[in-house]
Amino acid sequence: MFRRAFWFTAGAAAGVWATTKVNRQLKKLTPESLAAQAADKAVEAGHRLKDFALDVKAGMTQREDELNDALGLNSDPDRPDNVTALPGPRRLQAIEHDKTTPRSNRPAVTYNRNEDH
């Protein structure tokens, strides 16, 4: 008799456990639950993307500082941290021709290079 009661109780407990497991899985598969899971995954992906962008920005800043140091483009103490001092523009001095003598090799018609593009 005790054996039958034991197996009856064990069967009932297994049935309750299986029923609750099935009901939990069915609740996970409802449209509302699937939408909530998708929203959570999207938010998580957004956070990962934001972290990646911040890492890239930090790496860019570090590399820019390294390049500025290598090129000697150190920022002035009076300027904000995000503005670096750039060297002045380079201007190549053209050879000045004597304007009193006419150029004989100059074509009479000018050619516009932008016409071909």
Side-chain angles (χ1 to χ4, degrees), residues 9-10 62-63 68 74 86 91 96 98 105-106 110:
T9 307
Q62 179 183 1
R63 182 62 179 152
N68 284 340
N74 298 327
L86 296 175
R91 298 184 186 256
E96 296 203 19
D98 186 15
N105 60 354
R106 176 180 253 174
T110 60

PDB file of all heavy atoms in Angstrom, residues 9-10 62-63 68 74 86 91 96 98 105-106 110:
ATOM      1  N   THR A   9       2.096   9.538  -5.659  1.00  0.00           N
ATOM      2  CA  THR A   9       2.594  10.870  -5.320  1.00  0.00           C
ATOM      3  C   THR A   9       3.713  11.283  -6.291  1.00  0.00           C
ATOM      4  O   THR A   9       3.768  12.434  -6.733  1.00  0.00           O
ATOM      5  CB  THR A   9       3.119  10.893  -3.878  1.00  0.00           C
ATOM      6  OG1 THR A   9       2.099  10.389  -3.010  1.00  0.00           O
ATOM      7  CG2 THR A   9       3.491  12.279  -3.445  1.00  0.00           C
ATOM      8  N   ALA A  10       4.604  10.342  -6.597  1.00  0.00           N
ATOM      9  CA  ALA A  10       5.680  10.650  -7.530  1.00  0.00           C
ATOM     10  C   ALA A  10       5.114  10.987  -8.913  1.00  0.00           C
ATOM     11  O   ALA A  10       5.576  11.942  -9.569  1.00  0.00           O
ATOM     12  CB  ALA A  10       6.645   9.484  -7.628  1.00  0.00           C
ATOM     13  N   GLN A  62      43.082  58.824 -29.462  1.00  0.00           N
ATOM     14  CA  GLN A  62      44.430  58.404 -29.085  1.00  0.00           C
ATOM     15  C   GLN A  62      45.360  58.440 -30.289  1.00  0.00           C
ATOM     16  O   GLN A  62      46.482  58.946 -30.204  1.00  0.00           O
ATOM     17  CB  GLN A  62      44.395  56.996 -28.498  1.00  0.00           C
ATOM     18  CG  GLN A  62      45.753  56.469 -28.101  1.00  0.00           C
ATOM     19  CD  GLN A  62      45.687  55.037 -27.599  1.00  0.00           C
ATOM     20  OE1 GLN A  62      44.620  54.437 -27.560  1.00  0.00           O
ATOM     21  NE2 GLN A  62      46.824  54.490 -27.235  1.00  0.00           N
ATOM     22  N   ARG A  63      44.896  57.921 -31.419  1.00  0.00           N
ATOM     23  CA  ARG A  63      45.726  57.908 -32.628  1.00  0.00           C
ATOM     24  C   ARG A  63      45.986  59.327 -33.124  1.00  0.00           C
ATOM     25  O   ARG A  63      47.083  59.641 -33.577  1.00  0.00           O
ATOM     26  CB  ARG A  63      45.047  57.070 -33.715  1.00  0.00           C
ATOM     27  CG  ARG A  63      45.859  56.953 -34.982  1.00  0.00           C
ATOM     28  CD  ARG A  63      47.168  56.261 -34.748  1.00  0.00           C
ATOM     29  NE  ARG A  63      47.891  56.151 -36.006  1.00  0.00           N
ATOM     30  CZ  ARG A  63      49.186  56.106 -36.109  1.00  0.00           C
ATOM     31  NH1 ARG A  63      49.934  56.113 -35.035  1.00  0.00           N
ATOM     32  NH2 ARG A  63      49.768  56.030 -37.285  1.00  0.00           N
ATOM     33  N   ASN A  68      49.625  63.820 -33.875  1.00  0.00           N
ATOM     34  CA  ASN A  68      49.946  65.216 -33.582  1.00  0.00           C
ATOM     35  C   ASN A  68      51.309  65.326 -32.913  1.00  0.00           C
ATOM     36  O   ASN A  68      52.079  66.234 -33.220  1.00  0.00           O
ATOM     37  CB  ASN A  68      48.870  65.850 -32.701  1.00  0.00           C
ATOM     38  CG  ASN A  68      47.621  66.180 -33.475  1.00  0.00           C
ATOM     39  OD1 ASN A  68      47.639  66.302 -34.690  1.00  0.00           O
ATOM     40  ND2 ASN A  68      46.515  66.320 -32.773  1.00  0.00           N
ATOM     41  N   ASN A  74      51.384  70.142 -31.505  1.00  0.00           N
ATOM     42  CA  ASN A  74      50.872  70.162 -30.141  1.00  0.00           C
ATOM     43  C   ASN A  74      49.924  71.328 -29.972  1.00  0.00           C
ATOM     44  O   ASN A  74      50.104  72.396 -30.539  1.00  0.00           O
ATOM     45  CB  ASN A  74      52.023  70.277 -29.144  1.00  0.00           C
ATOM     46  CG  ASN A  74      52.950  69.082 -29.231  1.00  0.00           C
ATOM     47  OD1 ASN A  74      52.488  67.985 -29.520  1.00  0.00           O
ATOM     48  ND2 ASN A  74      54.226  69.302 -29.014  1.00  0.00           N
ATOM     49  N   LEU A  86      47.301  74.016 -35.962  1.00  0.00           N
ATOM     50  CA  LEU A  86      47.789  73.533 -37.239  1.00  0.00           C
ATOM     51  C   LEU A  86      48.849  74.497 -37.749  1.00  0.00           C
ATOM     52  O   LEU A  86      48.805  75.695 -37.466  1.00  0.00           O
ATOM     53  CB  LEU A  86      46.647  73.438 -38.252  1.00  0.00           C
ATOM     54  CG  LEU A  86      45.558  72.438 -37.917  1.00  0.00           C
ATOM     55  CD1 LEU A  86      44.439  72.525 -38.934  1.00  0.00           C
ATOM     56  CD2 LEU A  86      46.121  71.030 -37.895  1.00  0.00           C
ATOM     57  N   ARG A  91      53.093  77.955 -48.889  1.00  0.00           N
ATOM     58  CA  ARG A  91      52.923  78.624 -50.178  1.00  0.00           C
ATOM     59  C   ARG A  91      54.244  78.502 -50.932  1.00  0.00           C
ATOM     60  O   ARG A  91      55.279  78.927 -50.438  1.00  0.00           O
ATOM     61  CB  ARG A  91      52.541  80.070 -49.992  1.00  0.00           C
ATOM     62  CG  ARG A  91      51.216  80.216 -49.289  1.00  0.00           C
ATOM     63  CD  ARG A  91      50.814  81.654 -49.217  1.00  0.00           C
ATOM     64  NE  ARG A  91      49.623  81.769 -48.409  1.00  0.00           N
ATOM     65  CZ  ARG A  91      48.412  81.966 -48.903  1.00  0.00           C
ATOM     66  NH1 ARG A  91      48.246  82.091 -50.187  1.00  0.00           N
ATOM     67  NH2 ARG A  91      47.387  82.057 -48.113  1.00  0.00           N
ATOM     68  N   GLU A  96      58.996  84.198 -60.918  1.00  0.00           N
ATOM     69  CA  GLU A  96      58.402  85.341 -61.597  1.00  0.00           C
ATOM     70  C   GLU A  96      59.127  85.570 -62.906  1.00  0.00           C
ATOM     71  O   GLU A  96      60.353  85.626 -62.968  1.00  0.00           O
ATOM     72  CB  GLU A  96      58.488  86.563 -60.697  1.00  0.00           C
ATOM     73  CG  GLU A  96      57.679  86.385 -59.443  1.00  0.00           C
ATOM     74  CD  GLU A  96      57.307  87.712 -58.838  1.00  0.00           C
ATOM     75  OE1 GLU A  96      57.352  88.723 -59.547  1.00  0.00           O
ATOM     76  OE2 GLU A  96      56.976  87.725 -57.665  1.00  0.00           O
ATOM     77  N   ASP A  98      59.832  87.781 -66.384  1.00  0.00           N
ATOM     78  CA  ASP A  98      59.948  89.175 -66.760  1.00  0.00           C
ATOM     79  C   ASP A  98      58.726  89.523 -67.590  1.00  0.00           C
ATOM     80  O   ASP A  98      58.510  88.958 -68.662  1.00  0.00           O
ATOM     81  CB  ASP A  98      61.242  89.381 -67.560  1.00  0.00           C
ATOM     82  CG  ASP A  98      61.475  90.849 -67.852  1.00  0.00           C
ATOM     83  OD1 ASP A  98      60.810  91.689 -67.214  1.00  0.00           O
ATOM     84  OD2 ASP A  98      62.331  91.140 -68.715  1.00  0.00           O
ATOM     85  N   ASN A 105      55.661  81.047 -76.633  1.00  0.00           N
ATOM     86  CA  ASN A 105      55.151  79.677 -76.657  1.00  0.00           C
ATOM     87  C   ASN A 105      53.755  79.558 -76.057  1.00  0.00           C
ATOM     88  O   ASN A 105      53.245  78.469 -75.900  1.00  0.00           O
ATOM     89  CB  ASN A 105      56.113  78.738 -75.937  1.00  0.00           C
ATOM     90  CG  ASN A 105      56.305  79.141 -74.490  1.00  0.00           C
ATOM     91  OD1 ASN A 105      55.808  80.177 -74.069  1.00  0.00           O
ATOM     92  ND2 ASN A 105      57.029  78.324 -73.745  1.00  0.00           N
ATOM     93  N   ARG A 106      53.128  80.653 -75.713  1.00  0.00           N
ATOM     94  CA  ARG A 106      51.769  80.628 -75.147  1.00  0.00           C
ATOM     95  C   ARG A 106      50.755  80.455 -76.275  1.00  0.00           C
ATOM     96  O   ARG A 106      50.798  81.167 -77.265  1.00  0.00           O
ATOM     97  CB  ARG A 106      51.511  81.921 -74.402  1.00  0.00           C
ATOM     98  CG  ARG A 106      50.111  82.024 -73.884  1.00  0.00           C
ATOM     99  CD  ARG A 106      49.888  83.291 -73.151  1.00  0.00           C
ATOM    100  NE  ARG A 106      49.815  82.964 -71.746  1.00  0.00           N
ATOM    101  CZ  ARG A 106      49.736  83.834 -70.786  1.00  0.00           C
ATOM    102  NH1 ARG A 106      49.752  85.104 -71.043  1.00  0.00           N
ATOM    103  NH2 ARG A 106      49.650  83.450 -69.545  1.00  0.00           N
ATOM    104  N   THR A 110      42.890  79.553 -75.033  1.00  0.00           N
ATOM    105  CA  THR A 110      43.077  78.844 -73.767  1.00  0.00           C
ATOM    106  C   THR A 110      42.243  77.571 -73.781  1.00  0.00           C
ATOM    107  O   THR A 110      41.173  77.520 -74.391  1.00  0.00           O
ATOM    108  CB  THR A 110      42.667  79.725 -72.586  1.00  0.00           C
ATOM    109  OG1 THR A 110      41.305  80.066 -72.736  1.00  0.00           O
ATOM    110  CG2 THR A 110      43.515  80.969 -72.503  1.00  0.00           C
TER     111      THR A 110
END
